Amino acid sequence: EVHLLESGGGVLQPGESLRLSCVASGFAFSNYAMSWVRQAPGKGLEWVAHISSGGGSTYYADSVKGRVSISRNNFGDTLNFEIYSLRAEDTATYYCAVFSVGFDHWGQGIPVIVSS
Amino acid sequence: DIQMTQSPSSLSASAGDRVTITCRASQDIGNYLAWYQQKPGKVPELLIFAASTLQTGVPSRFSGSGSGTDFTLTIASLQPEDVATYYCQKYDSAPYTFGQGTKLEIK
């Protein structure tokens, strides 16, 4: 069974940095591209970052480009996401998701609150 | 970038009704279109991929159609457990944009 477990969220102040992790199990992690999707409170889904199966290609939403970095460790079956210079509008639940035909598996999500 | 526009943004229907949600892409995306269901307080789940292929385990009352720029999600006979917000998403290439969502309620 596919399992994705996010960690690293919490309450942070504007300007701080954050590192989220997603540990994968139950599938061949290194064979699949992965993404991060976020959802602000009461709002819709927003795709924010994507990384190819081998890690050589990355893509970012314009809303976060230049402030975030996605990476992966295929030996440890872990997906990472760093957000720098946090803003109030980064407040959201962040999901890691497996990409194949769309996102067919999602983690439970990890809340990030940016507040002074 | 390609924009994804869903309509309506909200919808109220009676149990047993046929319900249709539309999604329009601002450019041709072929059939690289997925639909997701997100029940209140839950994680999104993939319903349909390749515009019309049901994900394993999805009830057959759900169906998808379309290609190019215009797509539809249809629920043949609405059930109480279908109360959720539904999202379309393009996945041909990044950015993997979602539609704004359609909130479906039962009358």
Side-chain angles (χ1 to χ4, degrees):
Chain A
E1 180 183 359
V2 172
H3 194 59
L4 301 168
L5 182 62
E6 300 100 336
S7 62
V11 181
L12 296 99
Q13 294 192 342
E16 290 187 319
S17 298
L18 175 71
R19 180 183 175 96
L20 302 178
S21 293
C22 170
V23 177
S25 60
F27 68 106
F29 178 74
S30 62
N31 288 351
Y32 289 88
M34 298 289 294
S35 273
W36 288 93
V37 177
R38 70 183 181 182
Q39 186 169 36
K43 303 298 184 182
L45 301 172
E46 180 188 17
W47 169 81
V48 289
H50 183 85
I51 188 167
S52 61
S53 58
S57 298
T58 57
Y59 307 89
Y60 301 102
D62 286 345
S63 61
V64 297
K65 199 174 293 182
R67 291 195 303 120
V68 302
S69 176
I70 188 172
S71 61
R72 65 190 297 161
N73 177 349
N74 283 346
F75 294 104
D77 292 349
T78 303
L79 176 72
N80 300 304
F81 187 55
E82 294 181 279
I83 314 174
Y84 311 104
S85 299
L86 282 162
R87 305 168 180 171
E89 54 264 36
D90 294 320
T91 294
T93 295
Y94 287 75
Y95 299 97
C96 63
V98 181
F99 180 86
S100 57
V101 283
F103 298 134
D104 55 355
H105 295 283
W106 298 64
Q108 287 302 302
I110 188 86
V112 172
I113 299 171
V114 182
S115 174
S116 56
Chain B
D1 293 343
I2 297 174
Q3 305 304 312
M4 306 298 293
T5 304
Q6 284 181 237
S7 62
S9 56
S10 64
L11 176 58
S12 181
S14 300
D17 283 355
R18 183 182 181 87
V19 170
T20 298
I21 298 168
T22 66
C23 177
R24 175 164 289 177
S26 60
Q27 296 177 41
D28 190 337
I29 59 169
N31 70 338
Y32 290 94
L33 191 282
W35 289 98
Y36 300 86
Q37 177 191 63
Q38 186 178 30
K39 295 183 177 181
K42 300 296 185 182
V43 176
E45 294 186 354
L46 178 65
L47 280 181
I48 289 171
F49 60 92
S52 61
T53 303
L54 257 61
Q55 176 72 327
T56 303
V58 173
S60 59
R61 63 180 179 274
F62 291 90
S63 64
S65 65
S67 67
T69 60
D70 293 306
F71 303 88
T72 60
L73 171 69
T74 299
I75 306 174
S77 177
L78 186 65
Q79 301 300 305
E81 59 266 33
D82 300 334
V83 169
T85 300
Y86 293 85
Y87 297 90
C88 64
Q89 183 205 25
K90 62 175 284 293
Y91 64 93
D92 56 330
S93 61
Y96 300 112
T97 308
F98 290 91
Q100 78 276 22
T102 296
K103 186 174 183 180
L104 176 58
E105 297 175 330
I106 294 275
K107 282 182 185 175

